[in-house]
Structures are given as C-alpha cells and as structure tokens.
Amino acid sequence: MLLSQAATGGGANYWTLLLPILLLVLFWVVAIRPQRRRQRETTDMQSKLQPGQQVMTGAGLLATVHAVEDDAVVLEIAPGVYARHVRQAIVRIIDQPGQPSQPQVGEGTTPPSDRPEDPTA
C-alpha cells in the first residue's frame, strides 16, 4: 500500500521542483537577457562617440559632439554654446547620412507653416 502511494505521488514532486526552475529560465529569457543586450549596445555606442556627431541626451536635448574626454563629452547645443555632460547622458546617435544639412531657423529662413498655402491668395 505504501509503495503504490509513493509511486503515484512521485511524479508530482518532479513538477513542483521543475516549475520554479522553468519560471526562472523564462524570466531570464524575457526580461534579463534583453536588458543586458540593450545595456551593452548603449555602452558600445557611448564609447564610439566622435566630434561632429548629432546626439540626443536622456533629457531629450539634441546637440552636436564638440569634444570627447575620458568620462565626459562637450556638446554644442547652439552655435557657440557648449555644455559638458557625462557620457552616460547620451542615449542615441542621430544618423543622417547623405542628407544635406538644413539651415537653422533664424539664419535668413522663415519657419515652416503648419497651414497649407492658400491658392486663391
């Protein structure tokens, strides 16, 4: 009698041990692994910063890299206006290959209008 009860209940013990292990593996695959990959990509991007690149900081500031130091970068946020930030503040490099630079507002241009032009005027 005891042998038959032990034989039928033995399979449930494997599942009770296997289920938490499977949940941990699933959590690692879904959450931890992609986060580490993104962190590694961000660190690689920050180490490859070069002067002249357009970047975006974590606060959403768009700027041009003026100089790269050991643990900081000097950003030109407006013509002649420089700010020093830590490398970790840079979250994205803005790539614009092959596109001609657009003139800045205030350099003899008018800002674009949101309204379509009136053909009757």
XYZ file of all heavy atoms in Angstrom, residues 6-64:
457
model
N 3.471 5.980 -2.915
C 4.730 6.647 -3.237
C 4.946 6.696 -4.738
O 5.464 7.674 -5.278
C 5.894 5.929 -2.558
N 4.520 5.650 -5.437
C 4.692 5.620 -6.884
C 3.781 6.619 -7.572
O 4.174 7.268 -8.536
C 4.433 4.217 -7.415
N 2.588 6.816 -7.115
C 1.677 7.763 -7.758
C 1.999 9.206 -7.390
O 1.824 10.105 -8.192
C 0.216 7.457 -7.359
O 0.103 7.531 -5.944
C -0.224 6.106 -7.868
N 2.496 9.473 -6.238
C 2.807 10.840 -5.816
C 4.196 11.287 -6.230
O 4.532 12.444 -6.125
N 5.013 10.393 -6.699
C 6.383 10.744 -7.052
C 6.481 11.657 -8.257
O 7.350 12.508 -8.345
N 5.569 11.532 -9.217
C 5.598 12.384 -10.408
C 5.291 13.831 -10.088
O 5.804 14.748 -10.706
N 4.447 14.065 -9.127
C 4.087 15.426 -8.743
C 5.270 16.152 -8.124
O 5.408 17.360 -8.259
C 2.910 15.407 -7.790
N 6.138 15.428 -7.450
C 7.310 16.053 -6.845
C 8.256 16.611 -7.896
O 8.866 17.657 -7.694
C 8.037 15.049 -5.952
C 7.269 14.739 -4.688
O 6.444 15.542 -4.265
N 7.517 13.575 -4.109
N 8.380 15.931 -9.004
C 9.249 16.435 -10.084
C 8.685 17.738 -10.648
O 9.428 18.673 -10.932
C 9.393 15.400 -11.195
C 10.199 14.191 -10.782
C 9.649 12.919 -10.850
C 11.496 14.329 -10.321
C 10.378 11.811 -10.466
C 12.236 13.231 -9.932
C 11.680 11.970 -10.010
O 12.402 10.888 -9.636
N 7.391 17.824 -10.815
C 6.790 19.038 -11.353
C 6.910 20.198 -10.376
O 7.099 21.339 -10.793
C 5.328 18.809 -11.726
C 5.199 18.103 -13.044
C 4.800 16.830 -13.250
C 5.507 18.640 -14.322
N 4.848 16.530 -14.573
C 5.282 17.627 -15.269
C 5.972 19.879 -14.763
C 5.491 17.816 -16.615
C 6.179 20.060 -16.119
C 5.940 19.047 -17.025
N 6.801 19.920 -9.085
C 6.926 21.003 -8.115
C 8.349 21.536 -8.068
O 8.561 22.696 -7.753
C 6.502 20.544 -6.702
O 7.267 19.403 -6.321
C 5.027 20.242 -6.655
N 9.330 20.708 -8.393
C 10.710 21.181 -8.472
C 11.015 21.806 -9.827
O 11.782 22.767 -9.925
C 11.681 20.016 -8.213
C 11.687 19.450 -6.799
C 12.611 18.238 -6.725
C 12.120 20.511 -5.808
N 10.424 21.281 -10.865
C 10.717 21.731 -12.214
C 10.024 23.053 -12.546
O 10.583 23.888 -13.255
C 10.299 20.646 -13.216
C 10.756 20.832 -14.648
C 12.279 20.893 -14.716
C 10.234 19.695 -15.511
N 8.838 23.295 -12.034
C 8.081 24.501 -12.348
C 8.804 25.790 -11.932
O 8.923 26.708 -12.749
C 6.690 24.428 -11.715
C 5.746 25.559 -12.096
C 5.491 25.566 -13.598
C 4.452 25.427 -11.335
N 9.334 25.922 -10.717
C 10.070 27.161 -10.375
C 11.321 27.351 -11.236
O 11.651 28.482 -11.606
C 10.454 26.969 -8.904
C 9.505 25.957 -8.383
C 9.159 25.078 -9.529
N 11.982 26.258 -11.580
C 13.166 26.370 -12.431
C 12.773 26.871 -13.810
O 13.429 27.752 -14.373
C 13.909 25.023 -12.491
C 14.494 24.693 -11.125
C 15.001 25.050 -13.555
C 15.068 23.306 -10.998
N 11.693 26.344 -14.368
C 11.208 26.792 -15.675
C 10.777 28.254 -15.635
O 11.035 29.006 -16.582
C 10.058 25.908 -16.150
C 10.436 24.493 -16.577
C 9.184 23.686 -16.897
C 11.374 24.518 -17.757
N 10.152 28.672 -14.548
C 9.752 30.074 -14.424
C 10.967 31.004 -14.351
O 10.965 32.087 -14.943
C 8.861 30.261 -13.200
C 7.446 29.682 -13.317
C 6.704 29.814 -11.995
C 6.682 30.362 -14.427
N 12.000 30.599 -13.641
C 13.221 31.404 -13.583
C 13.890 31.513 -14.946
O 14.357 32.586 -15.341
C 14.185 30.825 -12.552
C 13.805 31.033 -11.093
C 14.758 30.274 -10.177
C 13.816 32.500 -10.754
N 13.948 30.405 -15.676
C 14.536 30.430 -17.014
C 13.717 31.326 -17.938
O 14.267 32.129 -18.696
C 14.650 28.989 -17.581
C 14.994 29.006 -19.054
C 15.682 28.198 -16.795
N 12.401 31.241 -17.868
C 11.536 32.080 -18.684
C 11.728 33.558 -18.338
O 11.818 34.403 -19.231
C 10.074 31.674 -18.488
C 9.055 32.479 -19.280
C 9.209 32.200 -20.766
C 7.660 32.160 -18.809
N 11.811 33.880 -17.063
C 12.046 35.265 -16.640
C 13.379 35.774 -17.169
O 13.477 36.905 -17.623
C 12.003 35.356 -15.109
C 12.244 36.736 -14.586
C 11.278 37.716 -14.706
C 13.452 37.052 -13.974
C 11.497 38.989 -14.224
C 13.678 38.325 -13.492
C 12.699 39.291 -13.616
N 14.402 34.941 -17.129
C 15.718 35.352 -17.614
C 15.673 35.629 -19.114
O 16.217 36.620 -19.574
C 16.758 34.269 -17.299
C 18.129 34.646 -17.736
C 18.998 35.484 -17.113
C 18.804 34.192 -18.911
N 20.160 35.581 -17.812
C 20.066 34.792 -18.934
C 18.451 33.328 -19.946
C 20.979 34.572 -19.945
C 19.366 33.111 -20.946
C 20.608 33.725 -20.946
N 15.005 34.760 -19.867
C 14.940 34.920 -21.320
C 14.119 36.153 -21.699
O 14.471 36.883 -22.622
C 14.354 33.646 -21.980
C 13.998 33.879 -23.433
C 15.329 32.492 -21.859
N 13.039 36.415 -20.983
C 12.146 37.510 -21.347
C 12.621 38.857 -20.818
O 12.506 39.871 -21.504
C 10.713 37.201 -20.842
C 9.800 38.393 -21.010
C 10.159 36.000 -21.570
N 13.177 38.911 -19.632
C 13.479 40.198 -19.007
C 14.964 40.519 -18.912
O 15.401 41.575 -19.362
C 12.856 40.240 -17.619
N 15.739 39.657 -18.345
C 17.124 39.989 -18.025
C 18.021 39.999 -19.258
O 18.803 40.933 -19.457
C 17.662 39.031 -16.951
C 16.872 39.219 -15.668
C 19.146 39.248 -16.714
C 17.192 38.231 -14.583
N 17.904 39.012 -20.099
C 18.775 38.905 -21.275
C 18.624 40.095 -22.235
O 19.624 40.703 -22.620
C 18.500 37.585 -21.980
C 19.438 37.299 -23.093
C 19.203 35.895 -23.620
N 19.936 35.676 -24.838
C 19.473 35.050 -25.890
N 18.262 34.539 -25.856
N 20.196 34.898 -26.948
N 17.407 40.504 -22.617
C 17.289 41.679 -23.494
C 17.782 42.972 -22.844
O 18.357 43.834 -23.514
C 15.788 41.762 -23.781
C 15.270 40.406 -23.533
C 16.124 39.834 -22.456
N 17.589 43.097 -21.536
C 18.056 44.296 -20.848
C 19.578 44.377 -20.882
O 20.146 45.443 -21.114
C 17.557 44.297 -19.408
C 17.993 45.514 -18.620
C 17.517 45.469 -17.184
O 16.896 44.499 -16.763
N 17.825 46.500 -16.429
N 20.253 43.259 -20.654
C 21.720 43.253 -20.717
C 22.216 43.567 -22.120
O 23.215 44.256 -22.299
C 22.258 41.898 -20.269
C 22.205 41.700 -18.788
C 22.876 40.419 -18.391
N 22.815 40.228 -16.964
C 23.245 39.152 -16.361
N 23.758 38.151 -17.058
N 23.162 39.041 -15.051
N 21.510 43.065 -23.134
C 21.904 43.325 -24.523
C 21.765 44.818 -24.830
O 22.667 45.420 -25.414
C 21.042 42.508 -25.483
C 21.419 42.690 -26.942
C 20.580 41.858 -27.884
N 19.151 41.886 -27.618
C 18.316 42.840 -28.041
N 18.785 43.846 -28.740
N 17.033 42.773 -27.760
N 20.653 45.451 -24.426
C 20.470 46.883 -24.649
C 21.515 47.689 -23.895
O 22.042 48.684 -24.415
C 19.068 47.308 -24.211
C 17.989 46.958 -25.205
C 16.668 47.623 -24.854
N 16.192 47.283 -23.513
C 15.418 46.253 -23.227
N 15.040 45.434 -24.179
N 15.026 46.028 -21.985
N 21.839 47.280 -22.688
C 22.837 47.991 -21.898
C 24.211 47.901 -22.565
O 24.943 48.886 -22.622
C 22.884 47.415 -20.489
C 23.810 48.146 -19.550
C 23.783 47.556 -18.142
O 23.238 46.475 -17.920
N 24.373 48.262 -17.208
N 24.545 46.724 -23.089
C 25.823 46.548 -23.781
C 25.877 47.405 -25.044
O 26.893 48.045 -25.337
C 26.024 45.078 -24.129
C 27.405 44.751 -24.630
C 27.625 43.266 -24.918
N 26.898 42.350 -24.047
C 25.907 41.540 -24.450
N 25.524 41.520 -25.706
N 25.307 40.741 -23.599
N 24.781 47.457 -25.816
C 24.735 48.274 -27.026
C 24.880 49.758 -26.695
O 25.581 50.486 -27.397
C 23.426 48.032 -27.770
C 23.335 46.677 -28.425
C 21.948 46.383 -28.984
O 21.032 47.219 -28.800
O 21.784 45.320 -29.605
N 24.237 50.210 -25.623
C 24.340 51.608 -25.224
C 25.760 51.953 -24.797
O 26.294 52.996 -25.174
C 23.360 51.911 -24.073
O 22.043 51.594 -24.506
C 23.420 53.371 -23.666
N 26.402 51.078 -24.052
C 27.784 51.312 -23.624
C 28.719 51.357 -24.829
O 29.609 52.218 -24.894
C 28.227 50.208 -22.644
O 27.313 50.166 -21.550
C 29.625 50.479 -22.118
N 28.527 50.464 -25.789
C 29.345 50.479 -27.007
C 29.142 51.778 -27.782
O 30.105 52.374 -28.269
C 29.011 49.287 -27.903
C 29.452 47.965 -27.313
O 30.296 47.974 -26.381
O 28.955 46.916 -27.775
N 27.894 52.222 -27.904
C 27.601 53.460 -28.619
C 28.269 54.649 -27.928
O 28.866 55.507 -28.578
C 26.081 53.653 -28.700
C 25.619 54.922 -29.389
S 25.381 56.367 -28.337
C 24.297 55.794 -27.080
N 28.208 54.685 -26.604
C 28.808 55.797 -25.867
C 30.321 55.804 -25.979
O 30.944 56.857 -25.950
C 28.377 55.739 -24.403
C 26.917 56.050 -24.204
C 26.413 55.711 -22.820
O 27.107 55.072 -22.030
N 25.197 56.131 -22.517
N 30.936 54.641 -26.136
C 32.389 54.591 -26.262
C 32.863 54.988 -27.657
O 34.031 55.288 -27.845
C 32.908 53.197 -25.911
O 32.483 52.269 -26.886
N 31.960 55.002 -28.644
C 32.330 55.325 -30.021
C 31.959 56.752 -30.421
O 31.942 57.066 -31.603
C 31.656 54.341 -30.979
C 32.143 52.919 -30.807
C 31.400 51.968 -31.706
C 31.854 50.543 -31.443
N 31.082 49.568 -32.214
N 31.673 57.595 -29.449
C 31.320 58.978 -29.762
C 32.497 59.702 -30.386
O 33.640 59.544 -29.948
C 30.875 59.713 -28.500
C 29.528 59.316 -27.919
C 29.298 60.036 -26.596
C 28.418 59.627 -28.888
N 32.204 60.515 -31.409
C 33.228 61.281 -32.101
C 32.740 62.708 -32.304
O 31.534 62.939 -32.444
C 33.527 60.661 -33.459
C 34.092 59.275 -33.398
C 34.275 58.687 -34.796
O 33.876 59.269 -35.789
N 34.868 57.512 -34.852
N 33.653 63.671 -32.365
C 33.235 65.047 -32.627
C 32.525 65.153 -33.982
O 32.876 64.487 -34.948
C 34.554 65.820 -32.645
C 35.473 65.001 -31.795
C 35.077 63.580 -32.047
N 31.493 65.978 -33.997
C 30.725 66.196 -35.217
C 29.448 65.385 -35.295
O 28.604 65.645 -36.150
N 29.276 64.403 -34.439
C 28.069 63.580 -34.463
C 26.905 64.307 -33.801
O 27.086 65.018 -32.821
C 28.288 62.251 -33.742
C 29.197 61.298 -34.455
C 29.393 60.015 -33.671
O 29.521 60.043 -32.452
N 29.409 58.904 -34.375
N 25.713 64.102 -34.349
C 24.493 64.611 -33.737
C 24.036 63.573 -32.715
O 23.960 62.390 -33.039
C 23.410 64.811 -34.792
C 23.721 65.881 -35.800
C 23.531 67.278 -35.213
O 22.680 67.492 -34.363
N 24.334 68.206 -35.672
N 23.733 64.005 -31.490
C 23.332 63.081 -30.432
C 22.093 63.608 -29.713
O 21.741 64.775 -29.834
C 24.468 62.851 -29.409
C 25.661 62.181 -30.045
C 24.870 64.148 -28.742
N 21.462 62.703 -28.965
C 20.348 63.073 -28.106
C 20.675 62.609 -26.695
O 21.104 61.477 -26.496
C 19.050 62.423 -28.570
C 17.849 62.855 -27.753
S 16.289 62.207 -28.356
C 16.332 60.592 -27.622
N 20.458 63.486 -25.725
C 20.703 63.126 -24.329
C 19.446 62.491 -23.740
O 18.390 62.494 -24.362
C 21.087 64.358 -23.495
O 19.963 65.241 -23.445
C 22.295 65.080 -24.075
N 19.578 61.982 -22.533
C 18.449 61.370 -21.854
C 17.334 62.356 -21.577
O 16.177 61.975 -21.442
N 17.646 63.634 -21.504
C 16.631 64.658 -21.265
C 15.973 65.121 -22.558
O 15.087 65.970 -22.535
C 17.250 65.849 -20.550
N 16.424 64.588 -23.693
C 15.838 64.956 -24.976
C 16.545 66.106 -25.665
O 16.060 66.624 -26.664
N 17.689 66.532 -25.154
C 18.451 67.621 -25.748
C 19.166 67.124 -26.996
O 19.884 66.120 -26.952
C 19.475 68.146 -24.738
C 20.402 69.250 -25.221
C 19.625 70.550 -25.341
C 21.552 69.415 -24.264
N 18.971 67.797 -28.118
C 19.668 67.471 -29.358
C 20.876 68.387 -29.474
O 20.755 69.603 -29.341
C 18.735 67.650 -30.557
C 17.486 66.781 -30.540
C 16.562 67.154 -31.687
C 17.853 65.323 -30.624
N 22.028 67.804 -29.726
C 23.262 68.583 -29.763
C 24.273 67.915 -30.673
O 24.082 66.794 -31.136
C 23.838 68.729 -28.348
N 25.376 68.628 -30.905
C 26.491 68.113 -31.692
C 27.670 67.896 -30.760
O 27.987 68.763 -29.940
C 26.879 69.124 -32.789
O 25.723 69.403 -33.579
C 27.972 68.580 -33.669
